[in-house]
Amino acid sequence: MRAARYHDYGPADILVIEEAPEPHAGPGEVRIKVTAASVNPVDWKIRSGEARSLFPVDFPVIPGRDAAGVVDEIGAGVTGVAPGDRVFGLGGLFGASAEYATLSAWAAVPDTWTTEQAAGAGLALATAGPALDALGDLSGRTLLIEGAAGGVGGAAVAMALARGATVIGTSSPGKHAYLRTLGALPTAYGEGLADRVRGLAPAGVDAVVDLAASGSLPDLVALAGGPDRVVTVADATRAGELGVRHLYAENDPAVLAAGAALGSRGAYLPHIAAVYPLEEIARAHRDIERGHTQGKIVVTV
């Protein structure tokens, strides 16, 4: 099959398009013929070697964790899905940027999403869902999301609103109009954040999700009133120092199905910042490596 791979750590230019062995669905998995795959910050961090202590690899590596496509092979024990079904979801840390990929968690693609939107939803939902779950019942509560304009941020805003929360989202000022379209109250991150948040929520915020690792975690703990009311998916180092819960994405099909249900109602439409063909995946990696992406970057296969 045709796949993007790299054979050593290095910059985006080490990515090559070449023939690779096809994967096959193991127990509890499905294989899809990939139509589009997501490009995420973790992909470049692994490729560059920055995250080698957390995520060791065996070369060569096909980057990408989440994708969308058409089921063409079903593993042992799998029910409720058939060849020809359009699904999106996640597998392991690698393998999505190729003609075929295996998924261990998936959901049907809602008719309201394009292929590219479906490809950008899996990891975003799988990250946002556990973070919100960790904060308990959000109905009637005010939630602050640090870094709300990214792909995970868009999913978190949609899911939190569906759970009855009022959402304040931080981003650069140029993305405030976008946050309003999501239904969040926007404010700028950085110095003076506490005062700006108090202006939007005089009674204070009840909980915080940190998606940015911007160095603001101590301020976020102070705003929330304690580390037990804060979750981060981005700042493991400071989380340990402050007693804040640090969570990773979970391959949970129930979370993906809940996100797809929101999508069917028009309550969650993944925002796609850029689309590249697989042959230009190095450009996609350079794009996301620059940071501050509004929504998701995907490659089509």
Side-chain angles (χ1 to χ4, degrees):
M1 67 172 183
R2 193 164 50 97
R5 296 204 297 184
Y6 54 95
H7 294 255
D8 201 351
Y9 294 119
D13 291 341
I14 66 171
L15 285 158
V16 294
I17 307 301
E18 60 187 11
E19 288 297 309
E22 290 185 11
H24 292 282
E29 296 179 336
V30 299
R31 186 178 82 165
I32 61 171
K33 183 171 177 55
V34 177
T35 52
S38 179
V39 178
N40 298 290
V42 69
D43 297 335
W44 76 257
K45 292 177 182 178
I46 294 173
R47 186 212 71 234
S48 68
E50 180 177 311
R52 73 179 71 189
S53 62
L54 291 174
F55 307 117
V57 304
D58 293 320
F59 296 111
V61 176
I62 298 173
R65 180 169 177 179
D66 53 337
V70 177
V71 175
D72 84 328
E73 190 176 281
I74 295 174
V78 173
T79 60
V81 66
D85 288 351
R86 294 178 65 236
V87 300
F88 72 100
L90 308 94
L93 282 173
F94 320 109
S97 301
E99 286 187 285
Y100 295 94
T102 57
L103 307 179
S104 58
W106 61 88
V109 176
D111 293 338
T112 51
W113 289 357
T114 66
T115 289
E116 292 80 10
Q117 287 175 318
L123 186 57
L125 290 167
T127 305
L132 296 180
D133 290 344
L135 294 170
D137 183 9
L138 293 174
S139 179
R141 303 173 74 194
T142 298
L143 173 70
L144 172 65
I145 299 177
E146 176 82 319
V152 179
V157 170
M159 298 175 83
L161 290 174
R163 299 180 188 199
T166 297
V167 177
I168 298 172
T170 72
S171 72
S172 60
K175 298 173 184 173
H176 286 185
Y178 167 64
L179 291 184
R180 291 189 185 96
T181 69
L182 299 181
L185 301 172
T187 191
Y189 56 78
E191 186 176 352
L193 174 63
D195 290 337
R196 291 190 295 275
V197 169
R198 291 187 185 104
L200 292 170
V205 298
D206 300 297
V208 176
V209 173
D210 171 38
L211 307 177
S214 61
S216 64
L217 203 54
D219 293 333
L220 299 178
V221 169
L223 272 170
D228 59 316
R229 300 166 76 177
V230 180
V231 172
T232 181
V233 303
D235 195 344
T237 300
R238 286 179 181 257
E241 296 170 354
L242 298 169
V244 169
R245 285 166 291 180
H246 175 257
L247 302 177
Y248 292 102
E250 297 178 8
N251 286 21
D252 184 350
V255 171
L256 302 184
L262 291 178
S264 296
R265 303 200 302 268
Y268 172 49
L269 298 175
H271 178 75
I272 304 303
V275 179
Y276 297 91
L278 182 65
E279 289 74 14
E280 297 182 19
I281 191 171
R283 287 184 59 198
H285 270 235
R286 286 193 292 269
D287 195 350
I288 201 161
E289 196 164 350
R290 285 191 287 269
H292 307 290
T293 303
Q294 181 177 304
K296 294 299 296 283
I297 294 172
V298 301
V299 294
T300 54
V301 181

